[in-house]
Amino acid sequence: DTKTTTDPPKRILTFVYYLTPNEWDSELDGGALRIFPPFVESSSDRNSSGKNSSDKSSSSSSGSVHDAHYFDVTPYADRLVAFRSDLIEHQVMPSLRRDRIAITVWLYGRVVCRGGCSNTETVSLPSSNGLGGKRSSSNHNNGVCTDDNNNRTLPPPLPLSPDNAEKTITATERGGDKTIYVAIPSYRDEETWPTIKSLVASACHPERVFVGVVFQVDTFSQEEVQRFTTSKGSGISLESPFQWSEETHIRSITLDCRHATGPCYARHLAQTLHRGEDYVLQIDSHMRFRPNWDEYLIQQLNMTKCPEKSVLTAYPPGYEPPNGPGSDAETRATILVPWKFGQEDGILRQKGRLLCPGYQHGLSDNGNIPCLLYAGGFNFFHSSLVDVCPYDSKLHGLFFGEEISMAVRLYTHGFDLYAPPHTVCYHLWKRNPLRAKKVDASDMAKQREDVLEVVRMQLRGMGRGLGTIRSVEQFSKELGVDFDRGVLASGCEDAGLSEDRFVPTASLSTAAGEDAKTCNGLGNEDMSSVLKLVGQYMNGT
């Protein structure tokens, strides 16, 4: 039934933590928690089907709530049981020879009605530039895309194959069975909701886009929780004429920022919110997207030799809020290449290099550009990758090393990495002022050194998480990097391409002194300052 805010709160969740003696015996001591699952068939149905019902846990006995199937949870020491007490019938069985000791916590609340209820709140979707207003079709005049509501120019839409283009133009059937899960770690970031807004507004099929966010905020501040974790609190309104809503298409985990331990753990948590969607897009929480991004990424991934073993990844060009990238935004491809070794940690740094427009790689017949390095803030892949090579949840405090660790793991597991032939999205490279640097306590410094050693071992072919399809030695040779000696081979920054394939840019090595504001207003003529900002952002300056 539809619930209103006037209904009294009821018990929703029950948590039971057992403090019983270690030698507790299920039969001699009793005290089990008897659960009556609502989805289990009745005993008459089970017997009529001819199945064996002799299991003592599958039929009721004296003292049960009613004649139904059940299972007993033995109160073993250090066991935690959690369940929906408003949905699951349950009974505590008597202890037989000694006291059963437990701590029980009940959470009270109200069930919020979602979908099909007369009082369901309508969720709105913004215009394609992520700046507000209702969704409307975009006008394409002489290659310039504009929004009907505010007449702001947008980045040009991504090119689609003829079949996909026709499907997008007609837009009579916006369904389909290919879904995308977007994983977003967010650390006290005001750009998170504008990023989600841009994702959905720029998609060909927003109803097929599902978002999972790991919000890392100051949970002691109710104002900050509302500001960063809710669209309303952030001042963002979402509106869509399609089957997309904040309630059904967004999942989230909220973590106190004092417990945040870097990008690897946050990305691991974001991957746990995946619910079987066909593809996964992993991004940062401060990005903007070109129209058609969803169809384009699926198109380009499926054009690879083996889509299930391929990853699209690159460092995106920059944008400057609030107006974001406009019609003159960079659209050329970037490819990741080795840059230098860090002086303090000895970990390889990487950078993005801008390719000349229309470049076609000689070893690729699908427009994608083969590469060996991985960008944590933008990668797209078939969801089966999560089962084969998930993020390591124990690499706490790791910043430099995240991307090279994933690159070598993916390589040894047989995955091929590609840069898309066009810019798909844009990244805010200006550092978040709330990401203040903290002085490491001795235990945190030791933990960071431990995880760096994990990465170093991986790059020697001995670390955890590596595959067996290709060797680390092959990876090092193809990349042109000697990880043991910390030496870059001549020409490794060209990724096997001739120098004339790249747009002339200044060296990223000067990025530490670059003013972050130089990315504002950049067009297609010069990307050097944007690419410098990548190095500045990664160096934390």
Side-chain angles (χ1 to χ4, degrees):
D1 295 333
T2 301
K3 301 296 180 183
T4 66
T5 56
T6 59
D7 292 336
K10 64 179 181 179
R11 190 181 298 175
I12 301 295
L13 293 173
T14 297
F15 300 86
V16 184
Y17 181 70
Y18 294 113
L19 301 170
T20 50
N22 291 329
E23 70 278 7
W24 191 274
D25 186 277
S26 60
E27 293 188 0
L28 297 178
D29 291 306
L33 176 65
R34 180 159 292 177
I35 300 294
F36 299 87
F39 50 83
V40 177
E41 59 189 358
S42 67
S43 57
S44 60
D45 292 339
R46 188 180 181 96
N47 292 334
S48 64
S49 66
K51 296 179 181 178
N52 188 347
S53 59
S54 61
D55 188 342
K56 67 179 182 179
S57 68
S58 65
S59 60
S60 62
S61 61
S62 61
S64 62
V65 174
H66 55 71
D67 185 15
H69 294 283
Y70 62 81
F71 62 87
D72 288 344
V73 179
T74 303
Y76 291 127
D78 199 33
R79 168 175 277 182
L80 174 66
V81 182
F83 60 94
R84 282 285 299 272
S85 43
D86 61 326
L87 299 179
I88 304 296
E89 292 191 56
H90 55 283
Q91 177 184 14
V92 178
M93 305 306 292
S95 299
L96 301 180
R97 62 176 184 174
R98 48 184 166 175
D99 292 336
R100 180 188 67 104
I101 304 174
I103 298 174
T104 302
V105 175
W106 297 293
L107 297 185
Y108 285 76
R110 300 181 182 91
V111 177
V112 178
C113 183
R114 290 188 172 96
C117 299
S118 58
N119 65 339
T120 300
E121 181 180 357
T122 301
V123 180
S124 307
L125 178 70
S127 56
S128 297
N129 60 1
L131 297 173
K134 296 182 178 181
R135 182 184 177 95
S136 59
S137 60
S138 298
N139 294 323
H140 301 269
N141 299 317
N142 298 322
V144 177
C145 183
T146 61
D147 177 73
D148 288 342
N149 289 316
N150 49 34
N151 204 34
R152 291 187 176 95
T153 56
L154 307 175
L158 285 155
L160 302 178
S161 65
D163 289 343
N164 285 337
E166 181 179 356
K167 185 175 182 180
T168 303
I169 293 172
T170 59
T172 55
E173 295 182 1
R174 304 190 63 89
D177 59 352
K178 298 301 181 184
T179 52
I180 297 175
Y181 169 68
V182 185
I184 308 176
S186 170
Y187 185 91
R188 308 177 76 185
D189 194 350
E190 292 181 341
E191 285 290 292
T192 303
W193 285 99
T195 295
I196 296 173
K197 195 175 189 181
S198 176
L199 264 171
V200 179
S202 301
C204 293
H205 303 285
E207 72 279 2
R208 292 194 254 158
V209 177
F210 296 84
V211 179
V213 190
V214 177
F215 293 108
Q216 300 161 96
V217 299
D218 183 355
T219 56
F220 293 164
S221 169
Q222 189 61 32
E223 184 276 333
E224 179 165 316
V225 171
Q226 290 293 320
R227 174 185 169 196
F228 290 135
T229 69
T230 68
S231 60
K232 183 178 180 181
S234 68
I236 298 296
S237 62
L238 303 176
E239 182 177 302
S240 173
F242 310 112
Q243 293 75 37
W244 194 97
S245 76
E246 184 176 340
E247 291 183 338
T248 59
H249 284 64
I250 295 183
R251 310 152 196 153
S252 66
I253 294 173
T254 300
L255 178 70
D256 189 272
C257 60
R258 284 168 282 269
H259 298 154
T261 59
C264 294
Y265 183 59
R267 297 197 200 280
H268 158 75
L269 290 177
Q271 287 187 345
T272 67
L273 295 172
H274 176 247
R275 295 295 181 268
E277 289 81 10
D278 299 284
Y279 301 98
V280 176
L281 172 64
Q282 179 176 282
I283 61 172
D284 286 336
S285 57
H286 28 270
M287 303 183 75
R288 297 291 185 271
F289 288 80
R290 290 176 65 183
N292 302 339
W293 67 266
D294 53 335
E295 285 282 0
Y296 178 79
L297 287 175
I298 293 175
Q299 165 189 293
Q300 292 304 128
L301 189 68
N302 287 333
M303 290 172 67
T304 62
K305 184 177 180 180
C306 183
E308 290 78 12
K309 300 289 286 186
S310 299
V311 180
L312 302 179
T313 187
Y315 277 168
Y319 77 92
E320 185 77 5
N323 293 328
S327 61
D328 62 343
E330 183 58 70
T331 60
R332 293 171 289 188
T334 62
I335 185 171
L336 291 166
V337 298
W339 178 17
K340 64 180 182 180
F341 282 91
Q343 293 182 352
E344 295 184 0
D345 54 29
I347 297 296
L348 179 70
R349 306 297 196 262
Q350 61 191 38
K351 64 181 179 181
R353 296 195 67 184
L354 185 66
L355 291 165
C356 292
Y359 169 71
Q360 294 290 327
H361 195 280
L363 300 178
S364 174
D365 58 358
N366 53 47
N368 298 312
I369 305 157
C371 63
L372 291 166
L373 296 176
Y374 169 90
F378 170 66
N379 49 86
F380 183 77
F381 50 86
H382 191 274
S383 62
S384 57
L385 182 150
V386 177
D387 297 323
V388 178
C389 193
Y391 253 77
D392 191 331
S393 63
K394 297 181 180 180
L395 295 181
H396 300 293
L398 182 66
F399 290 88
F400 300 118
E402 171 203 355
E403 294 175 321
I404 191 61
S405 172
M406 281 300 296
V408 70
R409 290 180 60 205
L410 290 168
Y411 182 90
T412 58
H413 280 284
F415 287 89
D416 294 318
L417 275 57
Y418 299 90
H422 296 86
T423 286
V424 176
C425 52
Y426 303 88
H427 190 285
L428 178 61
W429 293 109
K430 183 185 294 184
R431 196 165 185 82
N432 183 352
L434 293 178
R435 287 181 59 186
K437 291 184 177 180
K438 300 178 182 179
V439 178
D440 282 338
S442 57
D443 56 343
M444 180 58 73
K446 175 63 167 58
Q447 185 181 54
R448 178 170 291 118
E449 181 57 34
D450 288 343
V451 298
L452 283 172
E453 187 58 28
V454 170
V455 178
R456 296 185 187 109
M457 292 296 290
Q458 288 174 333
L459 296 173
R460 298 186 190 111
M462 297 177 286
R464 66 175 184 246
L466 297 174
T468 58
I469 297 177
R470 293 184 291 205
S471 69
V472 175
E473 183 181 5
Q474 287 176 279
F475 176 77
S476 175
K477 183 177 180 180
E478 289 187 42
L479 189 61
V481 176
D482 187 328
F483 292 102
D484 287 331
R485 296 190 299 150
V487 175
L488 303 182
S490 176
C492 71
E493 291 189 356
D494 297 336
L497 311 178
S498 60
E499 185 62 30
D500 61 359
R501 300 299 186 183
F502 296 97
V503 174
T505 59
S507 171
L508 283 173
S509 61
T510 61
E514 188 78 2
D515 184 354
K517 295 182 180 179
T518 57
C519 69
N520 188 26
L522 278 177
N524 287 344
E525 294 303 318
D526 184 10
M527 266 284 292
S528 61
S529 53
V530 169
L531 294 178
K532 287 179 184 180
L533 283 171
V534 176
Q536 175 180 345
Y537 180 86
M538 298 301 292
N539 276 312
T541 57

